[in-house]
Amino acid sequence: MALVNSKKMFEQAYKNGYAIGAFNVNNMEIVQGITEACKEENAPVILQVSKGARAYANHTYLVKLVEAAVKECPEIPIVLHLDHGPDFETCKSCIDGGFTSVMIDGSHLPFEENIALTKKVVEYAHERGVTVEGELGTLAGIEDDVKVAHGAESYTKPEEVIEFVTRTGVDSLAIAIGTSHGAYKFKPEQCTRNEEGILVPPALRFDILEAVSKKLPGFPIVLHGSSSVPQEYVKMVNENGGKMPDAIGVPESQLRKAAALSVCKINIDSDLRLAMTGTIRKFFNEKPDKFDPREYLKPARANIKEIVRHKLRDVLGCAGKADECK
């Protein structure tokens, strides 16, 4: 099947209490690992591209990689989504260039300016059958060009969501309830330590999510910055020349709870980066004589595939849901 937008996916996800995985892609191996897992698990998927990915890999190459995935995995619905679109021009370029969904991130702007920018993107996108994600509230952390210092983030205000959605016409809304970009989502002082000395992060603000859901019944909510930063890969990085002290993510149990509520899209990026980097570091540490990229990218791709498979089955709950999302 051809690329689709997110409308049908989100309707089914909301109705049936699961979330669609939105995985960031930057190169061929990441696209392959994600889509092979989704094909085998019969799961719908959102492949999302950031401004940084477009700068790194080139818009045309990324679109063609995703089109190749659509050809190789015709059984599953795939959305090609712009993550954190910074302005109207970037969103327009992606819409005109084959994307089926875009996010316009005006969360850093004053409320009225955010509405005006988001509405402009929505009007252009909807005329072309493309769905749009907006955002209220800001997340801490770093993701490509999105940089918000810890302490400068702001939770979504539930009292603003009805006006924002009504006036802009967005199809989904990203909210801030305590998730964060990057592999260092929480400072050690924000956490407690369990009996094994492992950091335990603070709980997400489900009270905000529930308040937003009551004001927007049936409306799809999005969580950014939702990697769980698997400690086995942090350990693999650190044991093979890396230095990632106190890297910690969002507990998967909290993401599953969010997916059972009104969250229909959960963004995951850092987990895939960790799986790839940890695998490659270990490979070179154990086989320093090797230099063929295929030899170290193959196991990296395999580990990306397995971590995506786990997310689909055990966190997002969307394994086996491809057919109902077509």
Side-chain angles (χ1 to χ4, degrees), residues 107 136-140 148 151-157 175-177:
S107 61
L136 280 175
T138 55
L139 277 62
V148 178
E153 68 273 24
S154 60
Y155 291 115
T156 300
K157 299 175 182 177
I175 65 172
I177 62 170

Side-chain angles (χ1 to χ4, degrees), residues 59-70 80:
H59 174 103
T60 303
Y61 281 103
L62 289 168
V63 170
K64 293 304 179 183
L65 284 172
V66 174
E67 288 177 354
V70 171
L80 176 54

Side-chain angles (χ1 to χ4, degrees), residues 138-290:
T138 55
L139 277 62
I142 298 174
E143 182 181 17
D144 290 341
D145 292 336
V146 181
K147 299 178 176 67
V148 178
H150 283 280
E153 68 273 24
S154 60
Y155 291 115
T156 300
K157 299 175 182 177
E159 62 271 19
E160 294 180 343
V161 298
I162 295 176
E163 181 180 0
F164 184 84
V165 167
T166 301
R167 291 177 59 188
T168 61
V170 287
D171 302 286
S172 60
L173 180 66
I175 65 172
I177 62 170
T179 57
S180 175
H181 291 128
Y184 300 89
K185 298 188 182 301
F186 306 97
K187 293 181 179 179
E189 56 266 29
Q190 293 177 277
C191 306
T192 57
R193 290 188 184 270
N194 63 19
E195 60 277 5
E196 298 174 349
I198 297 173
L199 290 172
V200 179
L204 299 181
R205 291 288 305 273
F206 282 99
D207 57 320
I208 295 176
L209 175 58
E210 290 167 359
V212 169
S213 301
K214 287 179 181 178
K215 291 181 178 294
L216 297 172
F219 192 81
I221 302 302
V222 176
L223 288 187
H224 284 243
S226 296
S227 284
S228 296
V229 188
Q231 292 302 297
E232 64 268 29
Y233 284 115
V234 174
K235 182 179 180 182
M236 188 183 293
V237 168
N238 290 335
E239 288 180 346
N240 291 279
K243 189 175 182 181
M244 297 187 69
D246 295 331
I248 187 169
V250 180
E252 291 184 337
S253 59
Q254 295 192 41
L255 297 175
R256 185 70 199 102
K257 179 180 177 180
L261 298 171
S262 59
V263 172
C264 297
K265 174 176 178 275
I266 293 179
N267 290 14
I268 299 168
D269 184 10
S270 296
D271 288 356
L272 307 190
R273 297 184 186 195
L274 282 167
M276 173 168 267
T277 300
T279 304
I280 292 172
R281 279 188 175 276
K282 184 173 185 290
F283 180 93
F284 280 129
N285 196 33
E286 294 177 349
K287 303 175 181 179
D289 59 314
K290 298 294 185 180

